[in-house]
Amino acid sequence: MRAKTLRREGRVTTTKRLGWADESCRAFVFGTGRVIGDGGFVFQSSHAPGAAAEMRDAGTLEDWRSTVAAACEGNPLMVLAVSLAFAGALFEPMHTEGGGIHLRGASSRGKSTVLRVAVSVWGSPKFLQSWRATSNGLEGVAAACNGSLIALDEMGEIDAREAGKTAYMLANGQGKARASRTGTARPAARWKTSILSSGEISLADKMTEAGQTSRAGQEVRLLDILADGQTHGAFDDLNRHSDPAAFADEIRLKAATAFGTAGPAFVEHLLRNMNEATRQAREFIDSFKAIAAEKFDLTSDGQTSRAVARFGLIAAAGELATAWGITGWQPEAAINAALTGLELWLNGRGGAGQKEARDAVIRLRAFISAHGSSKFENLDGDAPRTILNRAGWTRGETYYIATDAWHEIHAGHDPVRCAKYVRDEGFLESGDGRNLAQRAPTAIPGRPRVYVIKGPILGAGDD
Ligand SMILES: Nc1ncnc2c1ncn2[C@@H]1O[C@H](COP(=O)(O)OP(=O)(O)O)[C@@H](O)[C@H]1O
Ligand SMILES: [Mg+2]
């Protein structure tokens, strides 16, 4: 008996990881050392960054619900931000990639206040990070925010080059592998976390400052929404205040008084019945998708469907928190807030630009379907065929389109912008640096620059 107990005690697993201790989601670890769920995990905190220690609480859950959460009612951006904060704990059990939202808008419109509200779900006001302070210790901070929220204020304060790198690494969910002192590879830190960011311009525009182009993958991981166009800046319902600034100041105070209780309560409910919770989450996501499809003229491109799914998960997190009595909000408040978020994202993408992008893909698809076998030399074939008016080459499911043929296909349109659209839709594999065309593979004589189009474009629809 005794030996058995000792063996069981010996089975303690130390973890340096905060949030979900592993992919099985049996235990959730807080920077304070608190563990919810499987008590076999013990947090080894010696190298934890400061952010971890700020994941602490003040006041009761009821205090938070009746002050911070109550102020969110009628304020879709605040409901959205809080729902996103809860969603951080859902990524791992739902097996989805992490990501989040960038609130873009002029200064003094309440963006940072919205970030503070989201932060109060998990910790103290100091759990709010700044882009600037984070660019150095980003990996540590992101790992500390695993399973919860990384809130990054003021993108404008950091170097444009840095912004791109930081966003890329955050979105990837993985740090750099490094050699340890003994020379063996130390595994890279990994995280799945909600990201909530603020700034006066979008990530894409920020990166343009440094001559970089953001990749579609980055943009869809950090969905850009205009956050200063609500009734009063970022706010709609000032809760009996006549002045938005006074409302902002009151919320800031509330979020600094009651915090760090809602996130842990959410995790407790999740752990109580994970299967049921994820099943309900999927139901919320499905109904969100159905409502969104009815409400908006959604295109079937990959970016849009990923964004819809992301907003759906945020809605689901908020609805679960409401169903579990954590927020005190009306049912569907989180779904409606996520619909507002999706609408803002769609508006920001620009209706016309969206259509142009779709048209570029349709032109290309039509051309390849019509001339795929007549105007493209097949590099897989053993005997070369003579091709009249060759537009390019093909191998497997890839098409290499010569630049002059590209110009012809997109006659009447800006060919470079068309290439960007096709790349953003995920069908063009761009070259290094800012080149959208790349050197042809060695099998093609002279290796001219070509646009490399991936086969799935033939299945891309205009339904
Ligand atoms: N919607 C608003 N309209 C007018 N003033 C505001 C608004 N929101 C906040 N403020 C004022 O601006 C200050 C900064 O708020 P903050 O949330 O940090 O704005 P932002 O991050 O958009 O610059 C607040 O202390 C408040 O005085
Ligand atoms: Mg601010």
Side-chain angles (χ1 to χ4, degrees):
M1 259 322 264
R2 173 115 181 96
K4 209 171 176 182
T5 316
L6 278 178
R7 260 211 308 279
R8 273 195 27 216
E9 281 170 358
R11 220 187 289 147
V12 160
T13 312
T14 55
T15 175
K16 286 182 188 163
R17 202 167 183 221
L18 287 151
W20 296 114
D22 62 17
E23 279 169 22
S24 67
C25 298
R26 278 172 300 150
F28 194 99
V29 183
F30 290 83
T32 51
R34 176 180 176 196
V35 176
I36 302 181
D38 187 337
F41 287 92
V42 172
F43 179 50
Q44 194 193 53
S45 62
S46 52
H47 298 293
E54 295 305 331
M55 215 170 160
R56 57 192 175 86
D57 61 11
T60 63
L61 175 58
E62 169 53 25
D63 294 336
W64 181 82
R65 191 192 304 122
S66 62
T67 56
V68 182
C72 293
E73 292 234 77
N75 286 299
L77 292 187
M78 284 163 66
V79 171
L80 182 68
V82 167
S83 302
L84 174 65
F86 287 120
L90 268 187
F91 291 126
E92 191 78 67
M94 296 293 286
H95 309 293
T96 45
E97 52 189 13
I101 291 173
H102 174 67
L103 302 175
R104 166 176 46 89
S107 85
S108 296
R109 306 312 302 270
K111 300 182 304 297
S112 303
T113 305
V114 174
L115 261 62
R116 285 170 193 281
V117 169
V119 158
S120 74
V121 168
W122 293 103
S124 89
K126 286 190 189 153
F127 194 58
L128 176 64
Q129 316 290 319
S130 76
W131 275 92
R132 190 180 45 198
T134 312
S135 55
N136 280 326
L138 175 77
E139 285 184 43
V141 173
C145 299
N146 177 47
S148 58
L149 169 74
I150 182 161
L152 294 169
D153 209 11
E154 284 302 335
M155 184 187 279
E157 286 179 359
I158 91 166
D159 180 74
R161 222 169 281 278
E162 220 35 71
K165 262 188 359 208
T166 303
Y168 186 74
M169 187 184 283
L170 273 179
N172 243 352
Q174 190 177 342
K176 296 191 200 82
R178 289 200 175 75
S180 72
R181 258 171 289 165
T182 57
T184 53
R186 211 172 42 173
R190 286 176 178 276
W191 55 83
K192 267 190 187 181
T193 169
S194 279
I195 308 167
L196 182 61
S197 153
S198 83
E200 292 188 26
I201 59 175
S202 70
L203 174 63
D205 289 343
K206 181 78 191 174
M207 288 175 70
T208 308
E209 284 177 11
Q212 300 173 321
T213 31
S214 66
R215 304 186 196 178
Q218 261 157 299
E219 281 174 44
V220 89
R221 287 287 196 97
L222 196 58
L223 299 164
D224 185 89
I225 68 175
L226 183 71
D228 66 7
Q230 301 300 113
T231 317
H232 309 279
F235 312 123
D236 291 278
D237 181 339
L238 301 179
N239 289 228
R240 293 182 304 279
H241 286 281
S242 53
D243 173 18
F247 177 61
D249 294 341
E250 189 198 314
I251 297 202
R252 179 196 295 245
L253 184 66
K254 284 175 170 170
T257 312
F259 55 75
T261 48
F266 188 79
V267 169
E268 271 171 18
H269 278 275
L270 265 178
L271 278 166
R272 215 167 280 167
N273 194 342
M274 187 65 89
N275 289 339
E276 175 59 13
T278 51
R279 190 192 63 74
Q280 279 179 290
R282 274 189 294 273
E283 268 181 26
F284 281 126
I285 293 171
D286 288 343
S287 62
F288 176 82
K289 284 182 179 171
I291 300 170
E294 205 169 288
K295 198 168 155 113
F296 306 113
D297 179 22
L298 297 175
T299 50
S300 59
D301 61 287
Q303 274 197 62
T304 304
S305 49
R306 282 173 74 187
V308 171
R310 170 66 41 75
F311 280 113
L313 186 77
I314 296 170
E319 290 302 329
L320 282 175
T322 295
W324 292 331
I326 297 172
T327 63
W329 300 335
Q330 293 296 316
E332 293 187 21
I335 288 186
N336 289 327
L339 288 168
T340 301
L342 175 60
E343 184 170 23
L344 291 167
W345 181 77
L346 288 167
N347 291 345
R349 280 189 100 193
Q354 171 96 25
K355 192 180 173 314
E356 273 182 68
R358 193 152 48 128
D359 290 350
V361 171
I362 290 170
R363 276 195 299 277
L364 195 56
R365 187 187 56 170
F367 184 83
I368 293 176
S369 333
H371 308 295
S373 52
S374 60
K375 292 196 179 178
F376 287 83
E377 185 178 334
N378 193 338
L379 299 172
D380 295 321
D382 354 72
R385 239 172 357 109
T386 318
I387 304 260
L388 294 172
N389 298 323
R390 181 172 56 205
W393 299 261
T394 173
R395 178 156 66 192
E397 290 214 293
T398 306
Y399 291 86
Y400 303 94
I401 303 182
T403 46
D404 53 350
W406 183 269
H407 286 233
E408 226 168 87
I409 295 167
H410 298 292
H413 304 269
D414 177 342
V416 175
R417 199 185 304 159
C418 289
K420 278 188 189 151
Y421 290 145
V422 176
R423 178 201 58 193
D424 291 349
E425 298 297 317
F427 298 114
L428 182 140
E429 202 179 281
S430 56
D432 26 285
R434 271 190 276 169
N435 271 319
L436 290 156
Q438 26 174 316
R439 289 279 300 281
T442 46
I444 298 170
R447 303 191 63 197
R449 285 213 173 260
V450 289
Y451 290 97
V452 181
I453 302 300
K454 290 176 258 176
I457 194 167
L458 290 174
D462 52 338
D463 52 334

